[in-house]
Amino acid sequence: MPSVKFKYQDERFVYQKLIDQVNILCVAKGKDCLCTSGYRSLEKQKIINSQSLAQRKNQGGYQKADGSVWTSDGKCWAAAYGKSNHCYCIAMDITDSWFQALTNAEIKKYGLVKPMSYEPWHVQLLEHQGISLSQKEAIRNSVLKGADKGMDVKEFQAMSGLKADGIVGPATKAKAKEMLQCCQEILGNDFKTSEEVIRACMSSPEDWLVLNKMVSHFKDYTMNIVKRMGGKL
Ligand SMILES: [Zn+2]
């Protein structure tokens, strides 16, 4: 089925209804499209704004202190840092020529709008027109919630070849220990002696190395923590 794809996977965090409506449009037109920009983190927006500025240098392009990029004809080509609707997960840029050719009159029935006539690639939901900053923030928080969450038990089980029942039983615990040890080796945290631990972790290792030699059980104490955290106890 025709659908929209994301060019950059880190920008795929877009309000689901907007993606859905664009997909319905794709099906109606029988064409795929590519979203070249969706959700932008602040770091991403800084990169995009500097690219926008570079592209418009010969049109009198300039950047304001808030990061926004303008041309001398009064057009804003990149919003101020943190102010773009892309930062709130409610805008998509779709650069396919068939998509850019669509007018607002045509996309209205899909609940979509291109709010800026000079950006025929930038699309949003009609229902998001005129919403407040706090509403935008709530949308962004709901979309990003879970976007960078860790792996849950079922995902871990599926990934490691176990039965994905979400129950933490002996087999799941054993696999987690095995993985943990492997991860510690990859990360270089597979310490063999308390001296290694102290050198890797403390900003003034020499002070601690004295204690390591003097205080009885200090070595065992340190290594027990390492073993426990590394899944070896
Ligand atoms: Zn845009």
Side-chain angles (χ1 to χ4, degrees):
M1 236 182 353
S3 65
V4 59
K5 305 268 185 316
F6 284 87
K7 186 173 184 184
Y8 304 106
Q9 288 309 300
D10 61 332
E11 296 199 18
R12 71 186 187 282
F13 307 110
V14 170
Y15 189 64
Q16 189 59 44
K17 189 176 173 187
L18 175 56
I19 299 174
D20 292 345
Q21 292 308 111
V22 171
N23 279 333
I24 291 169
L25 176 63
C26 287
V27 171
K29 299 287 174 185
K31 292 186 173 91
D32 288 315
C33 66
L34 185 67
C35 176
T36 53
S37 190
Y39 164 66
R40 293 176 194 163
S41 62
L42 183 60
E43 288 314 304
K44 194 91 185 199
Q45 206 193 0
K46 284 181 178 173
I47 294 167
I48 289 165
N49 284 22
S50 68
Q51 286 169 345
S52 176
L53 179 65
Q55 279 166 14
R56 292 182 179 87
K57 264 275 149 63
N58 54 7
Q59 299 168 240
Y62 63 98
Q63 191 166 29
K64 290 187 180 178
D66 61 9
S68 58
V69 176
W70 298 76
T71 42
S72 43
D73 54 6
K75 286 177 182 167
C76 177
W77 295 94
Y81 295 145
K83 295 287 184 289
S84 164
N85 280 332
H86 287 279
C87 302
Y88 299 99
C89 314
I90 59 171
M92 292 166 89
D93 289 346
I94 297 168
T95 48
D96 301 66
S97 55
W98 72 266
F99 189 91
Q100 291 204 46
L102 295 169
T103 64
N104 271 330
E106 289 173 275
I107 63 174
K108 194 180 168 186
K109 59 175 176 282
Y110 300 96
L112 298 170
V113 64
K114 296 176 177 179
M116 291 161 294
S117 59
Y118 54 94
E119 288 194 7
W121 53 83
H122 178 106
V123 68
Q124 298 180 199
L125 282 176
L126 265 174
E127 69 187 51
H128 287 156
Q129 291 293 89
I131 60 172
S132 67
L133 182 62
S134 62
Q135 285 174 304
K136 288 182 188 181
E137 285 170 349
I139 290 171
R140 180 196 59 200
N141 294 346
S142 77
V143 173
L144 294 183
K145 194 172 69 179
D148 56 2
K149 72 175 167 59
M151 190 181 289
D152 67 19
V153 175
K154 275 191 182 177
E155 285 165 344
F156 172 77
Q157 289 168 329
M159 182 204 78
S160 56
L162 299 169
K163 186 177 155 211
D165 56 9
I167 300 164
V168 184
T172 303
K173 281 189 178 171
K175 185 59 84 175
K177 271 193 172 187
E178 188 188 319
M179 293 272 188
L180 189 53
Q181 287 174 27
C182 177
C183 291
Q184 300 290 17
E185 282 171 29
I186 290 169
L187 294 170
N189 292 340
D190 193 34
F191 303 114
K192 300 285 186 293
T193 66
S194 56
E195 190 178 327
E196 277 179 34
V197 180
I198 290 165
R199 291 197 187 280
C201 304
M202 307 311 284
S203 55
S204 314
E206 300 307 325
D207 302 343
W208 291 94
L209 287 171
V210 173
L211 288 174
N212 190 46
K213 284 207 177 86
M214 282 169 46
V215 179
S216 65
H217 307 307
F218 193 95
K219 289 176 187 169
D220 290 343
Y221 165 80
T222 307
M223 290 315 291
N224 280 342
I225 294 172
V226 171
K227 285 174 188 162
R228 173 80 192 178
M229 302 309 279
K232 288 186 177 176
L233 278 184

